[in-house]
Amino acid sequence: SQTIHQWPATLVQPVGSPLSLECTVEGTSNPNLYWYRQAAGRGLQLLFYSVGIGQISSEVPQNLSASRPQDRQFILSSKKLLLSDSGFYLCAWSNLMNTEAFFGQGTRLTVV
Amino acid sequence: DQQVKQNSPSLSVQEGRISILNCDYTNSMFDYFLWYKKYPAEGPTFLISISSIKDKNEDGRFTVFLNKSAKHLSLHIVPSQPGDSAVYFCAASSQGAQKLVFGQGTRLTINP
């Protein structure tokens, strides 16, 4: 069966520090991978998606970047965090037809 | 450009009654629609979906209705239970598209 692992579950980082959130998927090949953010009082905002190794599409201009070094690994990064980067980050994968998406448990990031 | 909209940020329903969550979309290319349920500090979980070739799909207490001409879908939960209290997201995709597009979410509260 397919599973998705996302870590860490919570993170408190000072402003200006770097960020690396990792997500790995098991039990499937060549998934579409996504990073979403849910800010307080807002919906799910798509940040990045990837249809293959090294292929990253960015949805919104921001202080974050994403990389896909392996088929089932998706990394969300920042060189210098801002206060506005605080939020709940979710990794997800979907099948090629996008008929369903499966989410990780999320990372609560607080930038202080 | 918000292609998928959930115009009600919150909804409060009495236990045992029907909950109706609404979702509108603007992109006529969308042909697959999904509903997700999200508890605080957890990733969304898949509830029910519908293809554009159907106008209704039922799974236990959950029924999704699709009105293509109005570009509107709704999720009916009956009877509503306290455990249904959560944020509900609708999402849409189209064949050949590489991403799911989510609405802003509706917070459903079931009152005893």
Side-chain angles (χ1 to χ4, degrees):
Chain A
S1 64
Q2 306 94 344
T3 55
I4 179 168
H5 302 281
Q6 182 182 341
W7 68 92
T10 60
L11 190 60
V12 180
Q13 291 284 100
V15 169
S17 64
L19 172 75
S20 181
L21 302 181
E22 189 161 345
C23 174
T24 59
V25 180
E26 296 177 0
T28 186
S29 296
N30 197 28
N32 291 338
L33 295 173
Y34 308 84
W35 279 109
Y36 287 89
R37 175 171 59 198
Q38 184 186 19
R42 301 185 63 183
L44 290 170
Q45 181 186 32
L46 179 62
L47 302 176
F48 300 96
Y49 67 95
S50 171
V51 299
I53 296 174
Q55 299 178 61
I56 309 295
S57 296
S58 175
E59 285 294 295
V60 292
Q62 59 205 321
N63 186 42
L64 303 168
S65 62
S67 61
R68 184 170 178 174
Q70 300 180 45
D71 180 46
R72 289 171 286 179
Q73 184 185 27
F74 205 25
I75 298 172
L76 182 69
S77 304
S78 174
K79 293 182 178 177
K80 289 185 178 182
L81 284 168
L82 306 172
L83 286 174
S84 58
D85 292 324
S86 294
F88 191 61
Y89 289 83
L90 290 155
C91 178
W93 75 271
S94 73
N95 53 21
L96 289 177
M97 294 303 295
N98 283 317
T99 52
E100 193 169 358
F102 301 90
F103 287 82
Q105 286 300 295
T107 297
R108 170 72 60 193
L109 172 65
T110 304
V111 182
V112 296
Chain B
D1 176 30
Q2 190 74 30
Q3 297 186 64
V4 178
K5 299 180 184 180
Q6 294 175 257
N7 292 317
S8 298
S10 63
L11 176 67
S12 190
V13 174
Q14 202 75 18
E15 182 179 359
R17 307 293 289 268
I18 184 171
S19 295
I20 301 176
L21 298 128
N22 294 303
C23 180
D24 297 293
Y25 61 97
T26 58
N27 189 339
S28 57
M29 298 299 292
F30 288 146
D31 58 6
Y32 204 85
F33 304 90
L34 310 92
W35 283 95
Y36 283 81
K37 174 181 179 180
K38 185 183 180 302
Y39 293 118
E42 295 183 10
T45 55
F46 171 75
L47 267 181
I48 192 169
S49 62
I50 188 167
S51 165
S52 59
I53 62 174
K54 302 174 77 173
D55 54 20
K56 176 183 175 181
N57 188 26
E58 191 172 353
D59 183 2
R61 296 186 298 115
F62 302 93
T63 303
V64 56
F65 295 92
L66 175 63
N67 182 334
K68 289 186 289 293
S69 60
K71 294 190 177 69
H72 176 83
L73 64 154
S74 61
L75 174 68
H76 293 212
I77 306 173
V78 56
S80 299
Q81 299 174 355
D84 295 330
S85 295
V87 177
Y88 289 79
F89 291 96
C90 68
S93 72
S94 57
Q95 279 199 26
Q98 296 163 329
K99 57 187 179 182
L100 284 171
V101 181
F102 282 84
Q104 308 96 308
T106 297
R107 180 176 300 280
L108 175 65
T109 302
I110 305 302
N111 302 308

